[in-house]
Amino acid sequence: MDRSMSEQQNSEPQAVEEPKGRPVGGTEYSWCKAVPGGTGITVLGLLLSKTPDLSVLQNALHNLQITHPILRSKLHTDTPTTNYSNTFSYRYMTPPTSPLDLFQIQWFDLPSTAHVLQTTNDNDDDNSFDSDPFHLILEHELNRNTWSRNSASTSSDDTDVLFASVYSLSDEKWVVALRLHTSACDRMAGVWLLRELLELLILRMRGKEEGESGSGGLQEEVISLGIEDYIPSGKDKKPFWARGVDMLGDSLNSFKLSNLDFRDVHSPRASQVVRLQIASQHTHGIISGCKSRGIRLCGALAAAGLIAARSSKDLPDDQWEKYAVVTLIDCRSILDPVLSSHHLGFYHSAIVNTHGIRGGENFWELAKRTYTAFADAKNNNKHFSDMADLNFLMCKAIDNPGLTPSSSLRTSFISVFEDSVIDHSNKSLREIGLEDYLGCASVHGVGPSIAIFDTIRDGELDCACVYPSPLHSRKQMQELVNKMKRILVDASTCVEGESGDC
């Protein structure tokens, strides 16, 4: 009798564990609105000189999905229920994990990769562009919009937040590209995701288990809440009338702000990248100059961009122009509770400042001015109190492009990050053949004219500068970045207190 009962129990269907989920937060929602239009596709690209082992890469990514549940989540979109509403709602749905569900990687062989490179190169507006294959693959991935409502992959209401591809450049070069929805992976999350992936790949190549890695081991049952739920009590408070006045002022003032000259406001857009690299000697001088003046690199990068933008126009001397600068802040260390630096998700906030430029500015004085304006706003908690306002204005711009100059969807001239990423190479990276890497996000929907993703790698400044094309041309942006580089290099030789045009 016991055996028959046991057999009967074993024959009963096992309960299927349901996916867990939660609605997206306010900031996450603004990214869910932005990504279909082309802004907020995060890409991490690795250039390798050794053939990637597909099974090793699959297992490493699967391990990261277990460690960070948001990476295995799907973005569920609820379509409007009536003809009177065009409002979509979004949820993260996190299915249970299974050791049999290995991460799927798209592999491009040599002919397929050659086709991708040719197509990407043909779409470029500048025939003189040095078409480095790694660079082209990065741009191709930035413009693969799986989350677009026009994409064939969106026939289902559920879309993954993480995709991976391997491109065969030759018999000696390969590119591994991770593409993520920015609402699930901000810049700091991308940095740690890349570091953890490299660590796992190295350990697996050495025959060690993933459990021996130092990735943090966050075995969370559900994905964490949005940033709004972690804001310290009272830090996001703003009087009702002050909120209304600020939002009205920001909307009206946006038409008074200056922008780079727009080259083509009508054609379909894509994100392109110009790289800014500065040798270690000059990088050290720039960092030393910032430290001696009590500012951070973001202030210097913003100042170089402002001076370069003003000088790119044929303007009379002393004619003022006012530009908007967005500074992005990783809030993990100032949330309640504090989140670790490798806690994946979107936990950045933004502060918008405007700066008047008339030409002939002293570089270090302008750098200090831009950084001080940002620091004062941060000290007044504007990165928390203005969060809802900026998200609202971002969504309004997406829905009504005409609210932006020339319907360009440009919300600022430049965006920079408060903290620089600092990386140091090590010999273990040679084991997997790592030769180069870049991480950045697309901006050709709503966003700045130029977004700076800066890294100090082995003492050298290396920036991925992303811009919307053909709203801006590659020639135009290459000239802008070249001017920024000259300004920064010249400033690196200036000594604190020295007079002159530093």
Side-chain angles (χ1 to χ4, degrees), residues 238-469:
K238 179 189 278 191
F240 174 79
W241 288 110
R243 188 176 300 278
V245 168
D246 285 349
M247 292 181 66
L248 180 61
D250 290 339
S251 300
L252 296 176
N253 289 335
S254 64
F255 284 97
K256 301 178 182 179
L257 295 175
S258 300
N259 290 279
L260 286 180
D261 293 336
F262 299 138
R263 298 301 194 231
D264 182 349
V265 298
H266 301 295
S267 300
R269 292 172 196 161
S271 287
Q272 293 184 340
V273 183
V274 174
R275 203 164 179 178
L276 188 161
Q277 295 174 294
I278 295 180
S280 57
Q281 175 186 355
H282 297 301
T283 299
H284 176 74
I286 297 166
I287 299 302
S288 297
C290 290
K291 288 182 177 178
S292 67
R293 292 166 174 84
I295 66 176
R296 295 192 181 185
L297 180 61
C298 60
L301 291 173
L306 293 171
I307 293 174
R310 170 62 171 72
S311 66
S312 69
K313 301 180 179 182
D314 186 17
L315 297 173
D317 293 342
D318 291 335
Q319 178 175 323
W320 286 87
E321 291 217 306
K322 184 176 287 188
Y323 294 91
V325 175
V326 171
T327 306
L328 295 157
I329 307 162
D330 176 24
C331 294
R332 287 170 174 80
S333 63
I334 52 177
L335 297 177
D336 184 19
V338 170
L339 302 181
S340 65
S341 56
H342 57 255
H343 195 110
L344 267 60
F346 194 94
Y347 297 103
H348 275 61
S349 63
I351 287 177
V352 182
N353 294 113
T354 58
H355 300 281
I357 308 294
R358 66 174 183 178
E361 278 82 6
N362 176 287
F363 170 79
W364 283 114
E365 288 180 359
L366 179 59
K368 188 159 187 175
R369 171 155 61 98
T370 58
Y371 181 78
T372 300
F374 157 72
D376 288 346
K378 184 181 178 184
N379 289 336
N380 289 323
N381 295 316
K382 289 184 74 65
H383 52 305
F384 289 139
S385 63
D386 286 0
M387 186 181 295
D389 299 349
L390 294 179
N391 288 335
F392 176 81
L393 291 173
M394 180 176 175
C395 291
K396 280 298 180 185
I398 293 169
D399 292 335
N400 303 278
L403 296 177
T404 60
S406 303
S407 298
S408 64
L409 285 173
R410 293 313 98 193
T411 55
S412 67
F413 158 60
I414 191 171
S415 68
V416 294
F417 288 88
E418 178 188 23
D419 298 314
S420 299
V421 174
I422 300 177
D423 275 343
H424 300 284
S425 299
N426 57 71
K427 295 181 180 179
S428 60
L429 295 176
R430 299 174 187 170
E431 297 179 35
I432 59 173
L434 182 65
E435 292 199 351
D436 196 4
Y437 61 92
L438 278 175
C440 54
S442 61
V443 298
H444 59 275
V446 65
S449 284
I450 182 168
I452 309 294
F453 297 83
D454 61 306
T455 300
I456 300 175
R457 189 182 308 174
D458 296 327
E460 298 184 349
L461 180 61
D462 189 355
C463 302
C465 308
V466 190
Y467 64 93
S469 171

Side-chain angles (χ1 to χ4, degrees), residues 9-220:
Q9 290 173 353
N10 291 337
S11 66
E12 294 178 356
Q14 298 295 316
V16 178
E17 187 176 351
E18 293 294 328
K20 299 176 181 178
R22 67 162 174 84
V24 299
T27 300
E28 294 166 336
Y29 176 79
S30 67
W31 286 112
C32 290
K33 291 269 290 182
V35 170
T39 289
I41 302 170
T42 298
V43 175
L44 308 174
L46 307 175
L47 179 63
L48 304 178
S49 60
K50 293 183 179 180
T51 311
D53 187 316
L54 191 59
S55 63
V56 169
L57 184 58
Q58 283 179 321
N59 278 283
L61 290 171
H62 181 64
N63 177 267
L64 289 172
Q65 286 185 313
I66 297 173
T67 304
H68 304 288
I70 198 167
L71 295 180
R72 68 175 187 270
S73 297
K74 294 181 181 293
L75 194 60
H76 177 79
T77 306
D78 291 318
T79 56
T81 56
T82 71
N83 295 329
Y84 305 102
S85 171
N86 63 353
T87 302
F88 290 79
S89 61
Y90 304 89
R91 293 179 61 86
Y92 289 122
M93 303 301 295
T94 310
T97 59
S98 166
L100 300 178
D101 296 334
L102 284 182
F103 188 87
Q104 298 302 307
I105 299 173
Q106 188 173 11
W107 185 283
F108 292 82
D109 57 16
L110 285 171
S112 300
T113 302
H115 177 72
V116 168
L117 294 173
Q118 185 62 49
T119 303
T120 306
N121 204 22
D122 289 345
N123 290 335
D124 194 85
D125 62 357
D126 186 358
N127 293 329
S128 65
F129 170 51
D130 181 15
S131 53
D132 173 68
F134 179 48
H135 194 148
L136 287 175
I137 292 297
L138 182 75
E139 290 189 347
H140 170 70
E141 284 287 321
L142 284 171
N143 297 292
R144 292 185 70 189
N145 197 341
T146 313
W147 303 277
S148 169
R149 297 188 186 99
N150 296 323
S151 172
S153 63
T154 57
S155 56
S156 169
D157 288 336
D158 295 334
T159 312
D160 293 334
V161 300
L162 169 64
F163 298 87
S165 302
V166 176
Y167 295 86
S168 306
L169 299 182
S170 67
D171 292 333
E172 298 178 346
K173 300 285 184 182
W174 295 263
V175 174
V176 174
L178 304 184
R179 181 164 38 91
L180 304 103
H181 196 285
T182 294
S183 71
C185 183
D186 61 16
R187 188 211 195 189
M188 186 52 64
V191 169
W192 278 98
L193 176 60
L194 183 59
R195 289 174 180 173
E196 291 183 17
L197 175 62
L198 292 173
E199 183 181 359
L200 286 171
L201 293 177
I202 292 168
L203 289 174
R204 285 182 175 274
M205 288 192 67
R206 293 174 178 175
K208 297 181 180 181
E209 296 297 325
E210 65 270 18
E212 298 180 48
S213 73
S215 62
L218 296 177
Q219 299 295 332
E220 303 166 81

